[in-house]
Each structure stands twice: as structure tokens, then as C-alpha cells.
Amino acid sequence: MPATTVLTARALLLDMDGTLVNSDAAVERVWRRWAERNGLDGTEVMRVVHGRQGYATMAVLLPDRPMAQNHADNARMLEEETADVDGVVPIPGAPEFLASLTAGGVPHALVTSANVSLSTARMTAAGLALPDVRVTAESVGASKPDPEGFLKGAAELGIAPEDCVVFEDSEAGIQAGRAAGMRVVGIGSRAAAHGPDVVVPDLRSVRVETGEDGLVRLHIA
């Protein structure tokens, strides 16, 4: 039998892309087109994009470009991404995982670098219910790896940061969770190299148990 790690929490903060939803194909299509338009190597661009808001990715890749241009480009990119949901599917185990949170009354929030339109489009395409509490691009002034989004999610749930567990797949997201003082469950192969507390291949490896004491126990195989 595989060893099981148990983490306790009072709330869960969930990234979307790569964590609940597999949108890699759509992300790659849109960002490789952007790379070509800007004379950049698409493979190098794909190493940077995950986890950040688009304008923040552009600032890393084109550090001398005016930020106003990045924001304008980002707005166009969000429209492209929202319109392209071909191949967007749930991460294995995500439907059952989210259903268990709802059934168990577990406080949880979506904390994503996508905006409202994109997060709604991708979650809908994947057949996943949107959590009641959502922190999107419109909600924050700074992109991951800044911890603002996760701290705001904890505040909206009324839970102390140290009592939250983050679920993330990207380097930027894992850094943001750590900077917020939270423990991090890494999802998938991207997460393994970036120091989460524990890594699982997908959400089938996580079982949620709620107790009368209000604690959430995450059994992680």
C-alpha cells in the first residue's frame, strides 16, 4: 500500500489551470501565436506563462516594453483564450474532489490568474461548478507569484492564512502560496520541481474528510 500523508486545514484555496482544469492545449495555441507575433521562441515562452497573469508574463519576456502595451495585449489575449476552449477538460479527479468539498461544507475558493470571463468559460467547458468564492484577475492588483490573491481568498473565507492549504501546479502559484504562509499541494509534473509540501499526479490522489471539530483532513496518497 502507498504511504499516505495527512494535512489538516480549515479552508482550501484552488488554482484553476493545471489544477482543476487541463487547458494546456488552448494556452499553448494562444501563446505560441503571441510569441510568433513578437519574434520570440514559442518553447521559451511556454516555460514562463503558467500561473501568471498575461501582462506579468509579457513583462518577464519583454522587460523593456511599456507596461501599458502589455496590459493592452493582455486584454486581447484574454478574449482569444476565452473564445478557445477546444480540448479543455477536467484534471482527473476534479469533479469528485469539488463535489466532496461542497458535500462536506468545506470552505474553499478559486484563486486564479484568469479573469471572470475566462475562468467561467474554462470551468464550464470542463463541466466543473464554480466555487461561490472566487478571486480572479479583476480582484487583485498584483499577479502570482505575489501572494495577494491567496491572502484575499483566505480573508474572504474568514480563515487565517496558516489554516489554509493551496492547490497549485505552477512555479509562480507555488511561490505565491508559500509567500502567503500557506502549505501547498502540488498537482502534476510541473509542480514537482518547485518545492510544494507534497506532490500528487492529479486529484484522484486526494481524499477529503471533514470532522466535527471543523478541521478538514486531506488524505494524500
Side-chain angles (χ1 to χ4, degrees):
M1 292 290 289
T4 299
T5 298
V6 179
L7 297 179
T8 59
R10 294 192 179 275
L12 307 183
L13 302 176
L14 314 173
D15 176 50
M16 181 181 70
D17 294 301
T19 300
L20 298 175
V21 169
N22 182 347
S23 57
D24 282 1
V27 170
E28 185 146 347
R29 284 192 295 271
V30 170
W31 277 95
R32 282 189 179 273
R33 288 198 298 269
W34 180 86
E36 186 175 356
R37 289 195 299 267
N38 288 277
L40 298 173
D41 179 79
T43 300
E44 291 301 316
V45 168
M46 294 312 300
R47 291 195 178 103
V48 178
V49 300
H50 297 290
R52 294 178 173 86
Q53 291 191 43
Y55 74 85
T57 293
M58 295 170 194
V60 171
L61 293 165
L62 297 171
D64 296 327
R65 192 164 81 154
M67 190 58 76
Q69 188 175 347
N70 293 339
H71 281 286
D73 234 7
N74 185 47
R76 290 189 292 270
M77 293 281 286
L78 285 168
E79 291 178 1
E80 286 186 53
E81 290 185 290
T82 301
D84 184 357
V85 293
D86 186 31
V88 173
V89 295
I91 293 292
E96 298 81 3
F97 176 74
L98 286 173
S100 72
L101 300 186
T102 301
V106 176
H108 63 286
L110 186 72
V111 182
T112 176
S113 293
N115 65 2
V116 169
S117 296
L118 180 56
S119 59
T120 300
R122 285 186 176 161
M123 291 287 282
T124 300
L128 299 176
L130 282 157
D132 290 337
V133 178
R134 300 185 286 278
V135 179
T136 61
E138 296 93 338
S139 308
V140 297
S143 170
K144 300 172 185 176
D146 191 282
E148 181 185 358
F150 287 124
L151 292 171
K152 185 162 188 176
E156 291 197 17
L157 292 170
I159 305 294
E162 62 269 23
D163 290 327
C164 296
V165 168
V166 165
F167 284 70
E168 263 286 0
D169 73 301
S170 71
E171 179 181 12
I174 291 167
Q175 289 176 350
R178 286 226 174 271
M182 301 172 183
R183 291 152 295 154
V184 181
V185 175
I187 307 296
S189 58
R190 264 197 301 268
H194 304 301
D197 292 271
V198 63
V199 182
V200 295
D202 56 53
L203 290 166
R204 292 175 295 186
S205 299
V206 182
R207 180 172 63 85
V208 180
E209 177 189 11
T210 54
E212 293 181 359
D213 54 4
L215 281 177
V216 181
R217 292 172 176 82
L218 302 171
H219 298 264
I220 301 168

